[in-house]
Amino acid sequence: MDYLLSVQNLSKKYSNQFAINNISLNLKKGEIYGLIGKNGAGKTTLLKIISGLVKPSNGDVALFDYSGASRKKVLSRIGTLIEAPGLYSNLTAYDNLKLKCLCLGINDPKYIGSILEIVGLEGESNKKVKQYSLGMKQRLGIAMALVGEPDLLLLDEPINGLDPQGIKDVRDIVLKLNKEYGITMIISSHILDELLKIVDRFGIINDGRLLKEISKAELKEICCNHIEINIEE
Ligand code: ATP
């Protein structure tokens, strides 16, 4: 089996409290992994540590294809949309992307156009971000995360607060990125129904610990049984 990501014994302590407590997980190449857990369970902290935004108190994050590579190189292979996308609202979507590209040494309008096309914003790229709906901002956030063609994409609550069309747009993009571009992903969400449409395998997080990893088929079965129990009651 070809693996992409290795997370080993990751912990993060704030004061005396563990936000993440000894989490280990491996991701296969091309897998979409869902993180589920109640508020404060540790999902965002785990994604922030994997992306390099937060330093762990203990443990390691590595990409198998880049063993021995510098931390900077490894982090450059990871795209993130964590919490609100960092967008300049007075700039157009195109200029937001152009800025990110220039930071990575990319100066190619065609490249920007291709990313806008993936997220379906090619016709709206000259609008200022402040004119964008929440769904469009999330799609632009995904586009920003795609600059540099990451191997791994981390999406933290990407559909939170979106209307049904916005949720479908994000779902379609996620599935396209996975199927057509082979991008491996971790997605956190509270909306289990939606995750079941996208994710291959789930990690259930509680109080900073990875309680259980479960396949989509197993989780569907549990959910169905649960619904049956509720109906009978
Ligand atoms: P939510 O869905 O509400 O975002 P979550 O599962 O993403 O929840 P985290 O945001 O990772 O959970 O938080 C895990 C725990 O770590 C919580 O108890 C939170 O209060 C704490 N925590 C997170 N960031 C910090 C910080 N910078 N300083 C102190 N405590 C923090």
Side-chain angles (χ1 to χ4, degrees):
M1 187 62 69
D2 222 358
Y3 282 92
L4 177 74
L5 173 75
S6 159
V7 169
Q8 295 296 325
N9 306 110
L10 221 53
S11 294
K12 178 70 188 174
K13 239 180 169 180
Y14 289 110
S15 310
N16 271 337
Q17 195 84 10
F18 278 105
I20 286 296
N21 193 347
N22 201 27
I23 289 189
S24 298
L25 61 90
N26 287 335
L27 240 69
K28 294 168 204 147
K29 277 186 184 169
E31 190 173 27
I32 307 184
Y33 188 93
L35 277 182
I36 48 178
K38 62 185 184 193
N39 284 347
K43 306 178 295 296
T44 303
T45 305
L46 176 60
L47 294 180
K48 281 184 175 172
I49 295 173
I50 295 172
S51 71
L53 287 170
V54 163
K55 212 166 171 260
S57 312
N58 190 51
D60 283 318
V61 176
L63 295 183
F64 284 94
D65 287 352
Y66 297 90
S67 54
S70 67
R71 183 88 185 120
K72 193 176 167 199
K73 176 73 187 169
V74 170
L75 294 181
S76 75
R77 306 314 309 143
I78 303 175
T80 60
L81 175 58
I82 296 182
E83 291 169 344
L87 300 168
Y88 295 100
S89 55
N90 273 321
L91 295 184
T92 63
Y94 185 91
D95 284 343
N96 269 277
L97 275 170
K98 187 173 171 184
L99 264 180
K100 174 90 190 264
C101 285
L102 289 175
C103 289
L104 297 181
I106 304 164
N107 190 2
D108 179 0
K110 267 195 202 152
Y111 183 81
I112 298 173
S114 66
I115 292 181
L116 282 163
E117 215 176 301
I118 293 172
V119 298
L121 288 173
E122 66 277 24
E124 319 269 0
S125 65
N126 288 323
K127 275 190 187 161
K128 286 189 177 173
V129 168
K130 64 182 175 193
Q131 295 170 278
Y132 268 28
S133 66
L134 182 60
M136 289 163 82
K137 282 183 192 160
Q138 286 302 83
R139 283 191 276 151
L140 182 57
I142 294 175
M144 299 284 278
L146 291 176
V147 174
E149 290 149 55
D151 298 302
L152 174 66
L153 198 56
L154 307 177
L155 304 176
D156 189 24
E157 305 274 2
I159 53 174
N160 221 7
L162 300 188
D163 62 17
Q165 184 58 49
I167 291 175
K168 184 183 178 307
D169 290 341
V170 171
R171 181 201 315 147
D172 290 347
I173 292 166
V174 162
L175 292 174
K176 178 163 48 171
L177 289 173
N178 181 251
K179 302 263 171 315
E180 293 178 26
Y181 298 85
I183 298 181
T184 308
M185 289 181 230
I186 305 181
I187 305 179
S188 79
S189 180
H190 290 104
I191 308 173
L192 193 54
D193 259 18
E194 188 53 34
L195 277 188
L196 276 166
K197 293 178 189 159
I198 301 174
V199 165
D200 303 312
R201 195 158 60 104
F202 292 86
I204 302 168
I205 296 201
N206 192 39
D207 282 342
R209 289 185 182 274
L210 183 61
L211 284 188
K212 193 171 170 58
E213 290 184 303
I214 188 166
S215 71
K216 174 155 73 178
E218 287 171 307
L219 190 60
K220 265 187 175 162
E221 203 180 309
I222 291 170
C223 290
C224 289
N225 287 339
H226 191 61
I227 288 163
E228 273 173 28
I229 288 165
N230 282 343
I231 290 168
E232 282 169 12
E233 281 171 349

